[in-house]
Amino acid sequence: MSARITSKTLVGALRRAAEAAGGHAMVLTKGDEISGSVLLALADRGVVHGLRERGLAPDGSYQWVAAGPEDASDAEALSAYLERRRKFDPDIWVVEIDLDAPETWLEDFIGAA
């Protein structure tokens, strides 16, 4: 098993990488700095297209898995989902990453890590 970076460090790296790619990132909910879950809202021009959560895979590695409502662009469903998640896990980080082709960007980010 590889060493785990802190949630705060991961969020900082995600923000810098998004900005370096010409997009922007905003922390919507700040969670526990050491071990808070990290949930990404992947958006393109302000429209969220999907949520990804960092989770532990069976082999001990971390992966970004799909999360949230089936239609993440439905603002009401997205808001309700995020509210439920914060009630269930008050230590969660929610970060909106807004740039062109956010899913491709996340794959590139994972490959560079």
Side-chain angles (χ1 to χ4, degrees), residues 21-41:
H24 71 273
M26 180 172 53
V27 175
L28 303 177
T29 303
K30 184 177 178 183
D32 182 79
E33 292 185 358
I34 304 298
S35 60
S37 299
V38 178
L39 181 67
L40 301 180

Side-chain angles (χ1 to χ4, degrees), residues 38-42 48-56 62-72 78 81-82 85 92 103 106-107 110:
V38 178
L39 181 67
L40 301 180
L42 300 177
V48 176
H49 294 283
L51 297 177
R52 301 293 182 274
E53 184 169 9
R54 186 172 183 238
L56 190 59
Y62 286 95
Q63 298 178 356
W64 292 98
V65 296
E70 191 170 315
D71 182 8
L78 180 62
Y81 176 78
L82 293 176
R85 285 301 306 270
I92 193 169
E103 290 85 3
L106 184 59
E107 290 174 15
I110 294 167

